[in-house]
Amino acid sequence: MELEIRHLRAICAIGDAGSLSRAATQLGISQPSLTTLLQRVERLVGGKLFDRGRSGAVPTALGAQMLRRARLLLVELEAFGSDMAGRGGPIRFGSVHMECVAALFIRLEDALDDDVTLVVDPSSTALALALANGHLDAAVIAVDEEGDLGLPRGVAQRIVVPWVPVYIALPAGHPLAAQPEVELADLAGEAWVGPPGAEDGSLTTLRAACRAAGFVPRIRFEVPSGAGRQLIAAGKAVQLVEPTSQGGPGVEVRPLAGAPMRMRLVFCWRRERLTWEQASRAYAEVLDAYAEQAMASPVFRPWWEDRGAALASVE
């Protein structure tokens, strides 16, 4: 076996992430596959590259030496590829589902003075992997407030809002829909639509919050967002929603008392595809589009005026 570019990328991913599991997520492969690859590389170079323990994967002296050389080689390779390929082609933009995505797309086309394509995906994990693998050039990602995106070195990020609360969508005729905010414990007997992007940890977060409130949520439906709204409007379910959600016919959106679940909004981009100037303009448009949508929401606007605008102004 000879060393290949994929081996160098894998070693650098482990060094950057400090963990085989996080590195495997970044690379889009399973942890056992990454472990096997690492073992083969170690046999090839004749020594151990990482000490693995509870604190993660720590480079050995040999590993640190290999990381330095591998990073230099990969930087040169990426520069070579950028020089040869240029920055041509449409900017491929991704976003989690938000009410402002259509307005954001229009803003981005104007601000970037370039063709823009848009992919909307409820899974932040899928968006992060698409960025890492070069299938997207930039994206707006939502993660748990304390969550880790696990992005590779070639992907930069700026926080749009450090945290926003997660709200609840209820049938318009539900007794709780008449209240200004809803206690999570009062939803103990409800049937739930599973949160979108559940593999990102949102289902785990929901269960943990409900457990703290004294119950286990009954996840009865795993359906696309459109079907979820239909079930809510029919009085059959409740569902977590992002706070700018406008609800719809038969659906009311309310804050959860005490904000037991929060998410962080982050703008990410591939450095070789967007210049710093382009990234700065895109970031500003993401923030403005989200703020505009927040102010348009009668339910979310009070929170945004009280906290959100100030949080978003501090990176």
Side-chain angles (χ1 to χ4, degrees):
M1 186 187 88
E2 296 181 352
L3 275 179
E4 301 174 9
I5 296 299
R6 65 187 181 94
H7 299 140
L8 300 182
R9 292 191 190 281
I11 298 305
C12 289
I14 297 170
D16 293 340
S19 148
L20 262 73
S21 60
R22 287 196 294 270
T25 297
Q26 292 177 14
L27 294 167
I29 63 176
S30 68
Q31 183 174 338
S33 296
L34 182 57
T35 300
T36 300
L37 185 150
L38 173 60
Q39 291 170 344
R40 288 174 179 170
V41 174
E42 287 177 331
R43 286 197 297 270
L44 181 65
V45 300
K48 195 173 183 180
L49 298 178
F50 295 94
D51 288 322
R52 297 165 59 190
R54 290 185 178 181
S55 59
V58 179
T60 62
L62 177 62
Q65 180 183 7
M66 185 169 182
L67 280 170
R68 285 193 296 270
R69 300 187 68 177
R71 284 168 178 156
L72 287 172
L73 286 169
L74 290 176
V75 167
E76 288 296 322
L77 180 65
E78 288 178 0
F80 175 78
S82 296
D83 291 343
M84 295 301 292
R87 295 181 182 271
I91 295 173
R92 300 162 298 176
F93 200 92
S95 176
V96 290
H97 175 74
M98 299 186 295
E99 294 287 333
C100 66
V101 288
L104 175 58
F105 174 75
I106 295 170
R107 285 172 168 269
L108 288 171
E109 276 198 314
D110 292 337
L112 296 176
D113 194 26
D114 204 339
D115 289 336
V116 179
T117 64
L118 177 65
V119 174
V120 178
D121 195 310
S123 170
S124 288
T125 295
L127 292 170
L129 284 174
L131 278 167
N133 295 330
H135 300 312
L136 287 176
D137 302 319
V140 179
I141 295 178
V143 293
D144 181 76
E145 184 186 8
E146 303 298 330
D148 179 15
L149 290 172
L151 295 170
R153 290 172 62 87
V155 179
Q157 58 180 290
R158 291 180 68 182
I159 294 173
V160 179
V161 191
W163 72 271
V164 293
V166 176
Y167 281 9
I168 189 75
L170 302 156
H174 197 292
L176 295 175
Q179 300 183 10
E181 62 179 17
V182 175
E183 293 286 345
L184 184 59
D186 291 340
L187 299 170
E190 302 294 336
W192 289 75
V193 175
E199 73 276 12
D200 299 341
S202 55
L203 182 56
T204 300
T205 300
L206 169 62
R207 285 174 170 157
C210 291
R211 188 163 54 248
F215 71 99
V216 176
R218 183 164 60 102
I219 309 296
R220 191 174 180 186
F221 306 103
E222 298 286 345
V223 295
S225 57
R229 291 193 182 194
Q230 293 173 17
L231 288 165
I232 296 167
K236 298 298 183 181
V238 300
Q239 184 180 21
L240 297 178
V241 293
E242 57 100 7
T244 66
S245 176
Q246 295 287 332
V251 178
E252 294 290 337
V253 175
R254 291 291 179 267
L256 288 167
M261 287 167 278
R262 304 175 174 186
M263 63 181 184
R264 176 164 44 99
L265 293 177
V266 185
F267 171 62
C268 311
W269 73 96
R270 293 186 65 86
R271 290 188 177 96
E272 81 275 11
R273 282 292 287 134
L274 270 69
T275 65
W276 177 254
E277 182 182 356
Q278 285 179 312
S280 296
R281 290 203 303 266
Y283 172 83
E285 296 301 337
V286 170
L287 181 54
D288 287 349
Y290 192 81
E292 184 178 89
Q293 190 66 42
M295 292 297 289
S297 168
V299 178
F300 188 45
R301 179 172 181 167
W303 185 93
W304 185 260
E305 290 181 322
D306 183 45
R307 296 186 184 183
L311 284 172
S313 67
V314 179
E315 188 178 347

